[in-house]
Each structure stands twice: as structure tokens, then as C-alpha cells.
Amino acid sequence: LEPKDWISLRSSSHSFYRIITSFITENKVLNLTQAAPITALTFKILTHYSTKLRHLNLRGCSWVTDNMLRPVLRNNPHLSSIDLSYCKNCTEGVLQTITMMSTAITTLRLKGCNWVNASGLEYLCHQYRKRS
């Protein structure tokens, strides 16, 4: 099932609401690259109870903003892979949040992110080198 199906099922009955909420709580992979554009509310529903995500793929999700992403990063400290490629509505500030909250990260993809600059990448690298 795709994330949009999770939301449809979740709203179909009280039983499915509990099942999907439980699934979201335990889910380790959230891939929204192929998902139809979703609203901020739908994104919040898909991520609000997430605390065990390891892989977050938002490639091409131009609707994602720093404010939408920060709680996800804060609540999922074991993220090892994040793809924000072509997320044009994020800012350099999200790099600081990733540095502080995503200490287990091994893969960060930022292709096509015009908001990324040399100083932001230097900061990110410096912070991760300090931990090594």
C-alpha cells in the first residue's frame, strides 16, 4: 500500500484508525517520492506518531518545508538515510536540524537543493567530524 492508501484506510473505520496508527508508529521507511502531492495535514498524520523511521525519502516533494520536517527529525533520531533532493521549499536551517537530531545518519541526498550552499555543507561536515 502507498501512503495515500494508509490515510484512506485510517479514515474508514475506528479499527483501521488504530491499525494504521500502530503501523505508522512502528514503520521504519517512509518514501513519498511516488506519492501524489499531499497536504501539510496529511504529512503530519503520516509522521506525527513516527518514532522509528530509519529511511526518509522525500525526493521531489517540493511542498515540504523546514517547519514540516523538523518534528520528524526530532522524533526519529535513528534516521540513517534522508533524501531531500529537489525539496525546494526547505532552507539551509534544515541542515542544522539534521546535524543536531540525526546523529545516526549515513546517507544524505541534497541533489537539486538550491538552498544548500558551501557554508551549510561545511558546517554539516564539521559537526559530523567532531563526532567521529
Side-chain angles (χ1 to χ4, degrees):
L1 296 175
E2 293 183 27
K4 66 178 180 167
D5 300 320
W6 305 346
I7 299 301
S8 295
L9 277 174
R10 186 176 179 269
S11 61
S12 67
S13 75
H14 191 64
S15 294
F16 274 126
Y17 179 91
R18 287 193 313 267
I19 291 168
I20 296 299
T21 299
S22 178
F23 168 76
I24 289 171
T25 302
E26 296 297 320
N27 188 30
K28 291 181 177 22
V29 177
L30 183 58
N31 182 352
L32 296 179
T33 58
Q34 301 301 319
I38 61 175
T39 65
L41 178 60
T42 301
F43 183 75
K44 186 174 181 176
I45 290 168
L46 291 171
T47 59
H48 182 73
Y49 296 105
S50 296
T51 59
K52 297 183 181 180
L53 286 176
R54 300 296 187 267
H55 306 281
L56 179 63
N57 189 343
L58 300 174
R59 182 184 183 94
C61 296
S62 58
W63 44 265
V64 172
T65 65
D66 292 11
N67 289 337
M68 295 170 73
L69 196 51
R70 278 189 192 103
V72 179
L73 298 172
R74 190 176 312 116
N75 294 334
N76 292 278
H78 302 292
L79 275 167
S80 62
S81 172
I82 302 172
D83 190 343
L84 298 177
S85 299
Y86 305 102
C87 290
K88 64 181 181 182
N89 284 320
C90 288
T91 70
E92 189 178 86
V94 82
L95 293 178
Q96 183 178 15
T97 305
I98 289 170
T99 301
M100 302 307 292
M101 301 297 170
S102 303
T103 57
I105 194 157
T106 58
T107 304
L108 176 61
R109 292 186 175 93
L110 300 168
K111 184 176 182 178
C113 295
N114 296 334
W115 46 269
V116 175
N117 61 35
S119 64
L121 290 177
E122 286 174 16
Y123 173 80
L124 185 75
C125 291
H126 176 72
Q127 294 302 316
Y128 280 101
R129 270 191 234 125
K130 283 179 20 181
R131 292 186 188 136
S132 300

